[in-house]
């Protein structure tokens, strides 16, 4: 109880001084949008239909795989509650319902494990909460980020596309998410590891909706990104990154067989986690994993690490050990 109470009370204690003193008032405008109606644009619908077909195939094949590749109990509970729109859409073959969740996951009214949507939504309800968001979550982290780079990078380096109706804030009129600061920092370092590679192949295990991938890949003129994840979150990443880079050639699960050869033929690849067995040896330049290995059983984590270390030149992980 005590850690839970501290986690709830600390934001308010940290923010009391900002009720009177608000240094972020002229720089930070909070952004917590309500749901929007999805676009019915032809190119949009083509992307959504492809992802929906792939999702159906992933869920069918997931029933046949080893327990090592099934969601942990924590994530299964998350899927049952927060991703019920996907489950219901699949059962009723309702593309519109599936599309609605894709178009609004960034501002969803339930926590779904890949974004700080509820941190922002919950704190928007009170003056102290809003001051906490503005001054602690955004302005303080922005000033720390500036300090790291000695103010050499513009605030525009922190922005990313808002596909999925993203929550966050506008700093000096530039959209920034709560996770922009860390992801930009790590993404810049990771992309620098691959300066000597003409066409890097970057992979991620449990990459959420692809924010770290976006910051890692954004300055690469030519690359391939392979995302291994649970079917539900993989759909979010496919939507976000396919919309962010519509001209990149993309392979979704079920469209053709995945193998090491796929890396040279595609720029974005989205595969359920069990397809990591087909990744090949020495086929990846950089493999990333942030947070998800620490949420698995030891057997599942060891299995993934086995395939990762056999396939990659660099392995970046940031997990609870």
């Amino acid at each position: 109880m005590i850690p839970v109470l501290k986690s709830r009370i600390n934001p308010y204690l940290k923010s009391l001084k900002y009720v009177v003193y608000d240094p972020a008032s002229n720089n930070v405008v909070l952004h917590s949008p309500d749901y929007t109606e999805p676009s019915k644009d032809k190119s949009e619908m083509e992307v959504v239909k492809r992802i929906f077909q792939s999702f159906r195939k992933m869920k069918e094949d997931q029933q046949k795989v080893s327990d090592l590749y099934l969601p942990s109990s924590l994530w299964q509970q998350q899927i049952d509650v927060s991703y019920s729109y996907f489950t219901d859409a699949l059962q009723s073959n309702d593309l519109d319902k599936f599309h609605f969740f894709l178009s609004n996951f960034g501002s969803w009214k339930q926590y779904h494990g890949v974004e700080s949507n509820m941190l922002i939504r919950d704190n928007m309800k009170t003056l102290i909460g809003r001051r906490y968001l503005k001054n602690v979550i955004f302005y303080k982290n922005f000033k720390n980020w500036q300090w790291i780079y000695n103010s050499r990078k513009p605030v525009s380096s922190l922005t990313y596309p808002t596909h999925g109706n993203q929550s966050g804030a506008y700093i000096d009129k530039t959209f920034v998410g709560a996770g922009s600061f860390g992801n930009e920092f790590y993404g810049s370092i990771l992309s620098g590891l691959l300066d000597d590679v003409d066409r890097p192949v970057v992979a991620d295990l449990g990459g959420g909706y692809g924010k770290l991938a976006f910051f890692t890949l954004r300055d690469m003129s030519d690359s391939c990104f392979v995302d291994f994840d649970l079917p539900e979150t993989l759909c979010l990443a496919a939507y976000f990154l396919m919309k962010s880079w519509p001209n990149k050639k993309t392979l979704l699960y079920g469209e053709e067989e995945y193998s090491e050869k796929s890396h040279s033929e595609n720029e974005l690849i989205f595969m359920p986690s069990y397809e990591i067995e087909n990744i090949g040896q020495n086929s990846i330049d950089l493999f990333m994993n942030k947070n998800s290995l620490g949420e698995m059983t030891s057997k599942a984590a060891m299995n993934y690490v086995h395939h990762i270390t056999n396939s990659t030149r660099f392995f970046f992980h940031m997990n609870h050990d």
Side-chain angles (χ1 to χ4, degrees):
M1 282 289 289
I2 292 175
V4 172
L5 288 173
K6 282 184 177 180
S7 70
R8 296 294 177 89
I9 294 171
N10 278 342
Y12 289 95
L13 295 178
K14 290 179 180 179
S15 306
L16 284 174
K17 65 180 178 180
Y18 296 121
V19 173
V20 177
Y21 171 62
D22 186 13
S25 61
N26 296 324
N27 300 87
V28 180
V29 177
L30 298 175
H31 180 66
S32 181
D34 206 346
Y35 295 159
T36 60
E37 283 301 313
S39 167
K40 299 295 184 181
D41 179 79
K42 181 180 178 181
S43 60
E44 165 89 2
M45 294 310 299
E46 287 176 354
V47 168
V48 173
K49 287 176 182 176
R50 286 180 65 190
I51 298 172
F52 191 48
Q53 290 169 358
S54 180
F55 181 55
R56 182 182 300 282
K57 176 67 172 170
M58 285 190 284
K59 295 303 289 183
E60 289 173 356
D61 292 349
Q62 189 181 44
Q63 300 176 34
K64 311 168 191 173
V65 303
S66 164
D67 290 349
L68 294 173
Y69 299 110
L70 297 179
S72 65
S73 57
L74 172 71
W75 259 101
Q76 187 58 60
Q77 183 179 12
Q78 193 84 65
I79 290 168
D80 292 341
V81 176
S82 306
Y83 291 84
S84 60
Y85 256 61
F86 277 177
T87 305
D88 294 346
L90 196 59
Q91 290 176 348
S92 58
N93 197 32
D94 190 338
L95 182 66
D96 289 338
K97 194 166 191 175
F98 182 80
H99 190 189
F100 187 82
F101 187 79
L102 284 180
S103 299
N104 287 288
F105 74 86
S107 58
W108 205 244
K109 296 177 183 178
Q110 287 176 307
Y111 178 63
H112 45 55
V114 299
E115 185 51 284
S116 304
N117 53 310
M118 293 310 298
L119 170 72
I120 295 172
R121 187 173 289 280
D122 287 346
N123 280 288
M124 288 292 289
K125 298 173 183 176
T126 64
L127 173 63
I128 292 179
R130 292 191 294 274
R131 293 292 171 87
Y132 171 70
L133 289 174
K134 287 176 65 176
N135 290 281
V136 178
I137 298 299
F138 288 101
Y139 193 64
K140 184 178 180 181
N141 281 323
F142 175 58
K143 300 305 286 186
N144 288 339
W145 177 82
Q146 283 187 314
W147 177 83
I148 288 171
Y149 287 113
N150 197 22
S151 297
R152 292 190 302 270
K153 283 192 173 185
V155 65
S156 58
S157 299
L158 290 166
T159 197
Y160 55 89
T162 57
H163 307 305
N165 197 18
Q166 301 298 323
S167 304
Y170 285 87
I171 299 179
D172 297 335
K173 299 181 179 180
T174 299
F175 176 77
V176 174
S180 284
F181 311 99
N183 280 285
E184 193 286 329
F185 174 69
Y186 285 114
S188 295
I189 291 174
L190 293 172
S191 63
L193 291 174
L194 307 177
D195 284 344
D196 60 336
V197 184
D198 291 334
R199 189 179 186 274
V201 180
V202 178
D204 199 344
L205 175 66
Y209 71 93
K211 188 155 55 177
L212 178 59
F214 175 82
F215 284 109
T216 304
L217 300 170
R218 65 178 175 179
D219 295 327
M220 296 181 185
S221 58
D222 190 16
S223 62
C224 174
F225 174 66
V226 191
D227 191 6
F228 299 100
D229 210 340
L230 298 173
E232 287 77 9
T233 46
L234 197 67
C235 290
L236 304 185
Y239 180 77
F240 178 76
L241 293 175
M242 289 173 74
K243 293 279 291 179
S244 298
W245 291 309
N247 295 324
K248 287 184 181 288
K249 187 179 179 185
T250 300
L251 172 63
L252 299 175
Y253 182 72
E255 293 182 337
E256 63 180 56
E257 189 174 339
Y258 168 70
S259 68
E260 181 181 345
K261 183 182 176 184
S262 305
H263 302 164
S264 61
E265 298 174 346
N266 299 277
E267 295 166 281
L268 297 173
I269 301 174
F270 300 95
M271 291 289 135
S273 54
Y274 43 87
E275 283 293 302
I276 199 171
E277 295 184 353
N278 297 317
I279 197 171
Q281 288 194 336
N282 302 317
S283 60
I284 306 295
D285 296 295
L286 167 67
F287 212 119
M288 307 183 294
N289 178 260
K290 192 155 76 74
N291 302 330
S292 62
L293 279 173
E295 299 172 345
M296 302 175 188
T297 65
S298 59
K299 286 185 178 180
M302 285 189 287
N303 176 65
Y304 283 122
V305 171
H306 166 74
H307 290 294
I308 290 169
T309 53
N310 277 345
S311 65
T312 194
R313 176 184 171 202
F314 290 106
F315 176 29
F316 168 77
H317 86 98
M318 186 166 68
N319 289 276
H320 300 291
D321 291 323

